[in-house]
């Protein structure tokens, strides 16, 4: 199985505040180590405030592209990191939901961890998929027509697009490995 992402461009979609820092930084490093270009996209360009455990402010990062200016056609894959408030903000952000619909409809792979699948629920594109997430999303995922499983990492290729999911920061090693494999 190839893990070479040379020449690929991967979008990391986050809100301006609330992303779980390890769920952003560890996949980012794995994607870059595999040779891809990682691009941080938020509702607005500029500062993104990360958190650890949803309560402690952590680092800040620079979103270099706004969701309104981001063209899904220019990306090969997407990572949706978690963080409760991050995911809650993104799922009501029209540009984020529209971006993800275009990615999914184009059959491009997506990796989403923890609360990240909330944005995917809003796309209306989870029917028939199997995925994992933070346990509190089970009902939302089932109501979206998907099957929820309690696994460290799960990759589903149903409906013509690949979805890699994991439950929480404790699953990051498995998540990063599966995401790189899916994106390759």
């Amino acid at each position: 199985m190839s893990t070479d992402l040379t020449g690929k461009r991967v979008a990391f979609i986050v809100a301006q505040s609330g992303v779980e820092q390890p769920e952003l930084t560890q996949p980012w490093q794995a994607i870059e180590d595999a040779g891809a270009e990682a691009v941080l996209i938020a509702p607005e360009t500029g500062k993104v405030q990360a958190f650890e455990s949803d309560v402690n402010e952590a680092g800040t990062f620079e979103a270099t592209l706004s969701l309104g200016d981001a063209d899904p056609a220019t990306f090969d894959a997407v990572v949706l990191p978690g963080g409760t408030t991050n995911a809650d903000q993104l799922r009501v952000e029209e540009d984020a939901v529209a971006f993800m619909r275009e990615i999914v409809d184009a059959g491009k792979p997506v990796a989403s961890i923890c609360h990240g699948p909330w944005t995917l629920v809003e796309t209306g594109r989870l029917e028939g998929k199997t995925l994992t997430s933070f346990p509190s999303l089970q009902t939302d995922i089932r109501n979206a027509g998907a099957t929820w499983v309690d696994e460290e990492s799960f990759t589903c290729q149903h409906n013509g697009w690949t979805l890699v999911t994991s439950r929480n920061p404790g699953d990051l090693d498995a998540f990063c490995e599966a995401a790189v494999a899916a994106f390759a």
Side-chain angles (χ1 to χ4, degrees):
M1 179 181 340
S2 174
T3 58
D4 183 13
L5 301 182
T6 302
K8 296 200 183 244
R9 192 168 188 231
V10 178
F12 281 71
I13 308 292
V14 298
Q16 298 304 136
S17 178
V19 65
E20 182 71 24
Q21 183 163 317
E23 294 175 4
L24 171 63
T25 57
Q26 194 169 331
W28 185 284
Q29 188 66 54
I31 296 300
E32 284 193 333
D33 287 350
E37 173 193 2
V39 179
L40 189 60
I41 303 172
E44 300 174 9
T45 58
K47 179 183 169 184
V48 169
Q49 178 64 59
F51 282 76
E52 288 192 20
S53 302
D54 284 331
V55 292
N56 300 316
E57 280 192 1
T60 58
F61 300 88
E62 192 74 17
T64 57
L65 193 57
S66 72
L67 279 163
D69 291 333
D71 179 1
T74 65
F75 292 92
D76 299 294
V78 174
V79 175
L80 288 169
T84 309
T85 59
N86 171 65
D88 194 44
Q89 291 173 64
L90 281 180
R91 70 182 177 156
V92 297
E93 177 69 44
E94 290 180 26
D95 287 336
V97 175
F99 185 95
M100 292 311 303
R101 273 193 197 111
E102 285 190 47
I103 288 291
V104 168
D105 291 349
K108 296 179 181 183
V110 175
S112 186
I113 186 166
C114 201
H115 289 80
W118 259 341
T119 304
L120 294 170
V121 166
E122 296 302 320
T123 67
R125 303 299 195 265
L126 286 181
E127 181 81 32
K129 296 296 265 186
T130 298
L131 62 149
T132 192
S133 67
F134 195 77
S136 64
L137 275 66
Q138 291 180 58
T139 300
D140 293 329
I141 288 168
R142 289 183 181 122
N143 287 342
T147 300
W148 187 87
V149 294
D150 184 12
E151 295 189 22
E152 181 180 43
S153 180
F154 194 88
T155 301
C156 180
Q157 297 178 337
H158 189 71
N159 290 345
W161 62 286
T162 302
L163 175 60
V164 174
T165 52
S166 287
R167 302 169 297 193
N168 58 54
D171 298 336
L172 275 165
D173 289 341
F175 177 73
C176 291
E177 182 178 332
V180 169
F183 295 174

